[in-house]
Amino acid sequence: MKIVSLAFLVHLFILGHLHRPVRSQQDTDLQLQSGQFQRLLIFVEDRRGVQKTASELLRLIKEIKVGFNAASRLLQNLTTAVGRPMRLGSASVLVSARLGRELRAAGLPVGDARWQRRNRADFVVTHDVDADTEGSVAMETGCGKPGKKVVMQDASFTNDSNSIVHRKVALFFSQYRWGLLSEQPVGSPIETGPDGELRVSACSAELRVRLAAADGSSTCEFDVNSRRTSRGCAPKLSESQPDGPLASFMFAPFHRAVNRFCDARSKEPQLQHNGMVDSLMNRQCDGLSAAEVLRNHRDFWGTPDGTRPAPGDISFDVVAEKSNRRVVVVMDTSGSMSGLRIAMMISAVNQFLLEIIEDGSECALISFTNRHSVLSNFVSIQSRRDRERLSSLVSRLHANGGTCIGGAVSAAASVIHKAVNMLGYHGPASASATGQIILLSDGVEGCPGRLNSMVSFLAHSSLEVVSIRYGDKADSRMDRLAEVTGGQKFFGGTSIADSSGLRLALGATTTAIDESKRTLTLTSEEIGSRFVRRRFNVDESVRRDLVFRVTVPSNTGAVTQLRLLLNAPSGREFGYRNRSDIYEANAAIGTVAIRVPDSQIQKGIWILRDEASESQPESHPSTGAGGSIVVTGRSSEDSVEAPVVLTAEVHPSIVQRISEETKIAVFAQLLRGHTPVRGGRLYASVRSDSNLVASFDLMDNGAGADLKAGDGTYSAYLPVAELNEPRDFSVSVKSLSPVSRVTSAGKVTVRYRNPSFNRQLVPPPKVIDFRVTVNTLNNSAVLMWTAVEDPTVKNASAKYEIRYSSSREQLIKNFSTCPILTVLSEGLGAPGSTVQLNAFHQLAGRGAVFVAVSGVSALNVSGPQSNLIGVDLTPPSVTQLTHIGLLPVGDGMGATEPPSRMSVPGLIVGVTASVAAAAGLAYLSMVLHRRASSAQPASLTKPADTDTKQGKAPRSQSANNVSRRNRADFVVTHDVDADTEGSVAMETGCGKPGKKVVMQDASFTNDSNSIVHRKVALFFSQYRWGLLSEQPVGSPIETGPDGELRGNRLTMMKSAVSQFLMEILEDGSECALISFTNGHQLLSGFTKIRSREDRENLSRLVEALNASGSTCIAGAVRAAA
């Protein structure tokens, strides 16, 4: 047997060299060779519920080739100017097995996929994405960080009117491969230059640009006082240059004449980078130009040799996935696996076989000690009987002997080779032999040289190895098998507290299959020694194969004591009273499963409870040392709507040593097809072999590790202070809303311990969304950013140090020596909340300055400075507005100050709500607006009748008219307090107008008051129309006709208590819950808060409360005592 395996592997090594280069460690097979990108993978996704005709498929593939070839030529032009010309050399178009059959029937040559796997595609072409979502899927914050993949609409290629698809491809490739970001302004497209002049923001200060609205028209609105344009107003290139404009591709990618990147080295003024624009590129890259970012990328390293890639089109091939996936599960049964370890492995593998692996796949089983045993050659999964047959083989495993990992992996490769029937079992291998090997072991290789040889051999095959290191002592070379074959790497803890770790790892091995066949893991959570009841949310994505499984690997006999009952949202009950195809208890492996018939699956809250525990005293354990509950299901293959899927990953996955500057982030997405599900509530957990290391929320707020707010990617940094040990850490992600999901994000490997690491020196993360809103009329300049966490204090925000300079370069290079604008250390809110600071007094009179903020820890360690923003509180003059084209030359106004609102060709200059309120006061005979009446346009000229009170005679607008104080509508005075100001109401009744309005002068001059316009509008509504407050006069709580508390008070109470339980109550404390009306109910006895699951269980009890009955507080207090 050893001689046969060696001959097989030697031939595999030789033949593999002819077919496949060694993979990189990135999640792609794309490689740059001699200026050409080889092995670009484009996956054309099958449309759910829609059957494409053969002619439609052929046309789509033809247009994909045309678009990518044109993009390749554009990329060569773009990169030539940077110093290294590059183009696309070869590409594979991967289609599903069904589409492959359609294309073959239509006469198109379609090969079999080998190294091509959909989960490693560079581009995904699909119908299931909208125009706003397509593009590079960016996960990691920072400069030059590559994307995860590119998602594009199929209509982008087949739409006859779309002539810019090649520009889309080139743009998305630049973002995906090199991590370039947009150079369009994020905020206002109007900025102040270094000499104080007003200009339209552009990637280059010398570029000719104009403002245009989102609908493509040339009409925008601009607020003179806040210096902001209307939403959707953006800079556009002018068409005044005869040969087309010189501009950066990341600024104007869809302009037909743009084919260069902004470059600090360029001799063309229009291409010299403007680092003052508040763009994503400048925010993340500290003002570097696109070309400078490219030169820092490994693709552009070294001295240019002057050679250009060989001319020609891309070499395309079309390949199809195999209709059936082959999986070999390789399980370690050596002596070190004895006891709880092998029990947990058997339980996890059985669930994989019974519920995770998809129908139609082929599965083989191998166990190994110092020798291997093929438990089963490939079995096609067609029925439940097939699954149970394989499961029964795993259930009989026991642990003894040594460990020979390399020999077992060699045997798995031989089993796959035999299945493809290529020259027989003893013959040479073929690179077309594809399959997945799932390797699970807790030991160190005991066969010298075998595992190292397998790493070399499999690197040149078409096989994929998924490594699951089980415990800290598992051989680290297992990960090399995964790395060189493009497989995933996982880590599973060996304690009962992490019994879900192996399950999540096995569940995450199915990313290369269609979502309709993939199992959705709704939850996987631990249970203590006593299980009573749990609540689970089943959403509309689950249409079949809904299973609730309770596993007790540490006390297998305990399952015979369980009397599980499952209540559907309708109240229908499933459980131990049902027949065996619904309720199955297996004492041999310690598991109980309730399978809900597909016709009975409902959306809503399901309740799983143990009837035996409900009737037993609390001292009676129901599960011994504990176990886990896993809820799984699948979507319907016939559904047009894609299921909601949770994906997650951690990056970087390997760290040599932890330092104070180390940043490790976890990223997660809730996706319906390729459309992000926003507004979710997610958190991550980090575990070592035996302990829960950390649990923390993931945010989609554009701060910390999150690149962009509201994009559906949820992110957070791992607490590196807890990771300074040479070991693996598993990372999992759980979604609590709007759907319940859980998945593995993989693992983090720390190679060496850093003895000099000092957690007190860990700085706060970088603020990446520093921004400002100004209004010179109401004297406000509000600096805003998202609060970042202080890594030295749990769940606390950092302090902040804000500095400024008139020189952008000085602020970037010497931030710590620039003058301090202010230090903010109080009222910071929780991490992830928005910090606002009115800095008008600090900024007034300084002219145009640049400002940045840095987080500071409680131990006074400063984090990196934020993105820079320019601030100028000086109102723009007519000359400035004319200079940038907001006013025509010679408009006849002759004033140095602009009007508040004007109408000019191509632009409407408007006002904000606060300015509008002040302008409204002019109607009321108070001249608060400082603009001269001669500068008012016709649309804002004072009307003939400005006496707004009923019954008063109209007053003319002649120059001889004199306003009288006794007829004032508004009185602004110092002699009134805040509680008294408002409309002076005289007459009782409905709709009775007031006598006048009295307001504090401080309401207008107080820098912190940004709501004065709302006060004016409120008082005017009361004064003119007699409106009255709708706030409750007495108690804010009332009882509705159905006994429910109105005003959403119950919801508010539940939300507040849930927040207390989830975020405020400290770890290690014990908490009990009591609800009461005229009686009381003990919802939960004391629960010790050890993990996030403990908090969730208590929170679920609170969320289930309803309001009814009367109130008896004393009885509830006695019960609590």
Side-chain angles (χ1 to χ4, degrees), residues 677-741:
V677 177
R678 298 176 174 87
R681 182 183 174 195
L682 285 74
Y683 75 91
S685 297
V686 182
R687 291 183 180 272
S688 64
D689 188 7
S690 57
N691 296 309
L692 175 65
V693 175
S695 183
F696 47 90
D697 291 327
L698 302 182
M699 308 300 290
D700 183 17
N701 57 6
D706 193 61
L707 178 63
K708 185 178 180 182
D711 65 350
T713 298
Y714 304 83
S715 318
Y717 288 120
L718 275 63
V720 295
E722 310 300 328
L723 307 181
N724 189 24
E725 294 292 339
R727 67 194 322 170
D728 279 356
F729 298 88
S730 65
V731 183
S732 62
V733 172
K734 192 168 189 177
S735 167
L736 301 178
S737 67
V739 298
S740 178
R741 296 286 188 275

Side-chain angles (χ1 to χ4, degrees), residues 155-377:
S156 291
F157 294 94
T158 57
N159 191 335
D160 292 332
S161 62
N162 192 349
S163 59
I164 60 169
V165 64
H166 67 290
R167 290 190 163 270
K168 279 189 178 183
V169 172
L171 171 67
F172 298 157
F173 183 90
S174 301
Q175 295 169 328
Y176 163 72
R177 176 70 178 185
W178 301 310
L180 297 184
L181 298 167
S182 172
E183 291 176 338
Q184 279 282 332
V186 177
S188 173
I190 304 296
E191 65 175 10
T192 302
D195 55 357
E197 84 280 5
L198 206 64
R199 66 190 188 195
V200 179
S201 298
C203 57
S204 171
E206 300 300 321
L207 203 61
R208 298 179 186 176
V209 292
R210 59 183 175 84
L211 288 177
D215 59 4
S217 68
S218 59
T219 300
C220 287
E221 292 186 357
F222 177 72
D223 177 2
V224 173
N225 300 290
S226 68
R227 295 169 172 256
R228 298 186 71 86
T229 59
S230 56
R231 188 176 182 85
C233 190
K236 304 291 182 183
L237 291 179
S238 300
E239 302 288 348
S240 56
Q241 299 184 38
D243 298 327
L246 284 172
S248 175
F249 183 66
M250 303 310 296
F251 177 77
F254 304 126
H255 194 288
R256 63 183 183 276
V258 172
N259 59 4
R260 300 278 292 278
F261 289 117
C262 251
D263 191 349
R265 299 181 185 177
S266 176
K267 296 180 181 180
E268 299 288 345
Q270 299 94 332
L271 290 174
Q272 292 176 357
H273 186 63
N274 177 13
M276 297 167 57
V277 179
D278 185 19
S279 65
L280 280 178
M281 178 76 83
N282 283 336
R283 282 187 179 185
Q284 296 291 335
C285 298
D286 294 329
L288 291 179
S289 67
E292 290 172 292
V293 174
L294 289 177
R295 292 188 184 106
N296 289 329
H297 193 277
R298 65 181 183 276
D299 288 349
F300 293 82
W301 288 353
T303 304
D305 54 13
T307 60
R308 299 176 63 88
D313 288 341
I314 303 170
S315 173
F316 281 98
D317 66 333
V318 181
V319 296
E321 296 175 324
K322 289 181 169 59
S323 57
N324 54 325
R325 194 168 66 105
R326 298 187 185 94
V327 180
V328 184
V329 183
V330 182
M331 298 162 285
D332 185 350
T333 57
S334 61
S336 60
M337 289 285 292
S338 62
L340 182 61
R341 292 193 179 194
I342 196 165
M344 290 172 60
M345 183 195 73
I346 289 172
S347 176
V349 173
N350 273 335
Q351 187 190 356
F352 173 78
L353 297 172
L354 293 170
E355 282 134 28
I356 303 296
I357 191 169
E358 70 279 10
D359 290 338
S361 61
E362 298 178 8
C363 184
L365 301 175
I366 293 176
S367 66
F368 70 94
T369 56
N370 51 341
R371 300 173 62 88
H372 67 267
S373 175
V374 179
L375 305 179
S376 172
N377 282 303

Side-chain angles (χ1 to χ4, degrees), residues 365-431:
L365 301 175
I366 293 176
S367 66
F368 70 94
T369 56
N370 51 341
R371 300 173 62 88
H372 67 267
S373 175
V374 179
L375 305 179
S376 172
N377 282 303
F378 283 110
V379 171
S380 180
I381 307 294
Q382 301 296 336
S383 66
R384 178 144 206 93
R385 180 173 295 181
D386 298 325
R387 297 176 181 272
E388 291 172 346
R389 172 187 164 193
L390 292 172
S391 174
S392 65
L393 296 172
V394 175
S395 300
R396 294 197 289 266
L397 293 175
H398 61 278
N400 60 32
T403 306
C404 187
I405 302 173
V409 175
S410 173
S414 298
V415 168
I416 295 174
H417 168 63
K418 178 182 177 181
V420 298
N421 196 25
M422 297 291 293
L423 303 179
Y425 182 67
H426 301 291
S430 169

Side-chain angles (χ1 to χ4, degrees), residues 501-545:
L502 292 181
R503 301 174 189 277
L504 294 180
L506 288 166
T509 61
T510 59
T511 56
I513 65 173
D514 188 83
E515 292 169 348
S516 63
K517 297 180 179 180
R518 201 182 305 174
T519 294
L520 305 173
T521 303
L522 307 190
T523 190
S524 180
E525 54 193 62
E526 283 71 42
I527 55 177
S529 60
R530 180 176 173 79
F531 166 65
V532 179
R533 67 167 56 199
R534 294 285 176 93
R535 294 159 57 88
F536 304 98
N537 178 29
V538 177
D539 61 282
E540 68 275 4
S541 291
V542 180
R543 304 290 181 85
R544 60 191 177 101
D545 299 340

Side-chain angles (χ1 to χ4, degrees), residues 777-779 840-841 1000-1009 1012:
L777 188 69
N778 63 6
N779 290 355
F840 187 89
H841 279 307
Q1000 280 186 316
D1001 50 12
S1003 291
F1004 296 91
T1005 58
N1006 191 335
D1007 293 338
S1008 63
N1009 190 349
V1012 64

Side-chain angles (χ1 to χ4, degrees), residues 495-506:
S495 70
I496 190 65
D498 190 25
S499 58
S500 297
L502 292 181
R503 301 174 189 277
L504 294 180
L506 288 166

Side-chain angles (χ1 to χ4, degrees), residues 513-805:
I513 65 173
D514 188 83
E515 292 169 348
S516 63
K517 297 180 179 180
R518 201 182 305 174
T519 294
L520 305 173
T521 303
L522 307 190
T523 190
S524 180
E525 54 193 62
E526 283 71 42
I527 55 177
S529 60
R530 180 176 173 79
F531 166 65
V532 179
R533 67 167 56 199
R534 294 285 176 93
R535 294 159 57 88
F536 304 98
N537 178 29
V538 177
D539 61 282
E540 68 275 4
S541 291
V542 180
R543 304 290 181 85
R544 60 191 177 101
D545 299 340
L546 178 60
V547 180
F548 293 75
R549 182 176 293 275
V550 176
T551 302
V552 191
S554 61
N555 184 10
T556 57
V559 299
T560 60
Q561 304 174 33
L562 296 175
R563 296 292 183 269
L564 296 185
L565 293 173
L566 178 65
N567 293 107
S570 65
R572 178 157 184 168
E573 189 174 84
F574 306 89
Y576 71 93
R577 301 187 185 98
N578 292 101
R579 60 185 186 269
S580 60
D581 62 332
I582 293 178
Y583 187 90
E584 177 191 8
N586 189 333
I589 59 174
T591 183
V592 178
I594 301 179
R595 297 185 180 87
V596 180
D598 292 352
S599 61
Q600 302 298 322
I601 296 176
Q602 301 172 16
K603 172 186 174 183
I605 301 298
W606 293 66
I607 300 175
L608 181 66
R609 57 194 178 91
D610 180 21
E611 188 178 63
S613 295
E614 290 177 333
S615 61
Q616 291 172 344
E618 290 192 14
S619 60
H620 188 284
S622 61
T623 62
S628 64
I629 301 176
V630 183
V631 183
T632 57
R634 284 189 173 94
S635 67
S636 172
E637 293 189 66
D638 299 327
S639 174
V640 175
E641 189 174 62
V644 177
V645 175
L646 174 64
T647 65
E649 64 181 68
V650 62
H651 187 83
S653 61
I654 300 175
V655 178
Q656 295 300 317
R657 286 180 177 84
I658 296 293
S659 72
E660 290 81 6
E661 288 74 33
T662 298
K663 291 287 186 291
I664 305 172
V666 58
F667 309 97
Q669 284 188 308
L670 277 174
L671 299 170
R672 187 182 293 279
H674 295 281
T675 302
V677 177
R678 298 176 174 87
R681 182 183 174 195
L682 285 74
Y683 75 91
S685 297
V686 182
R687 291 183 180 272
S688 64
D689 188 7
S690 57
N691 296 309
L692 175 65
V693 175
S695 183
F696 47 90
D697 291 327
L698 302 182
M699 308 300 290
D700 183 17
N701 57 6
D706 193 61
L707 178 63
K708 185 178 180 182
D711 65 350
T713 298
Y714 304 83
S715 318
Y717 288 120
L718 275 63
V720 295
E722 310 300 328
L723 307 181
N724 189 24
E725 294 292 339
R727 67 194 322 170
D728 279 356
F729 298 88
S730 65
V731 183
S732 62
V733 172
K734 192 168 189 177
S735 167
L736 301 178
S737 67
V739 298
S740 178
R741 296 286 188 275
V742 63
T743 191
S744 172
K747 66 171 184 144
V748 175
T749 300
V750 179
R751 299 286 195 206
Y752 308 101
R753 184 177 182 274
N754 183 0
S756 62
F757 173 79
N758 186 346
R759 67 169 59 212
Q760 295 182 342
L761 298 181
V762 177
K766 178 181 178 179
V767 173
I768 60 174
D769 64 340
F770 193 41
R771 56 201 186 278
V772 64
T773 61
V774 302
N775 196 301
T776 58
L777 188 69
N778 63 6
N779 290 355
S780 69
V782 181
L783 303 174
M784 293 179 290
W785 64 94
T786 302
V788 295
E789 187 172 16
D790 183 345
T792 64
V793 182
K794 187 173 183 180
N795 297 326
S797 292
K799 301 180 294 184
Y800 301 97
E801 189 176 75
I802 304 171
R803 296 179 180 267
Y804 72 95
S805 174

Side-chain angles (χ1 to χ4, degrees), residues 865-913:
Q865 69 197 52
S866 70
N867 57 290
L868 274 62
I869 56 173
V871 184
D872 188 358
L873 300 185
T874 307
S877 66
V878 166
T879 303
Q880 288 179 311
L881 294 175
T882 304
H883 174 70
I884 60 174
L886 296 182
L887 285 177
V889 177
D891 61 359
M893 289 191 287
T896 58
E897 291 199 52
S900 302
R901 187 181 183 90
M902 68 194 94
S903 180
V904 296
L907 190 75
I908 299 174
V909 182
V911 292
T912 61

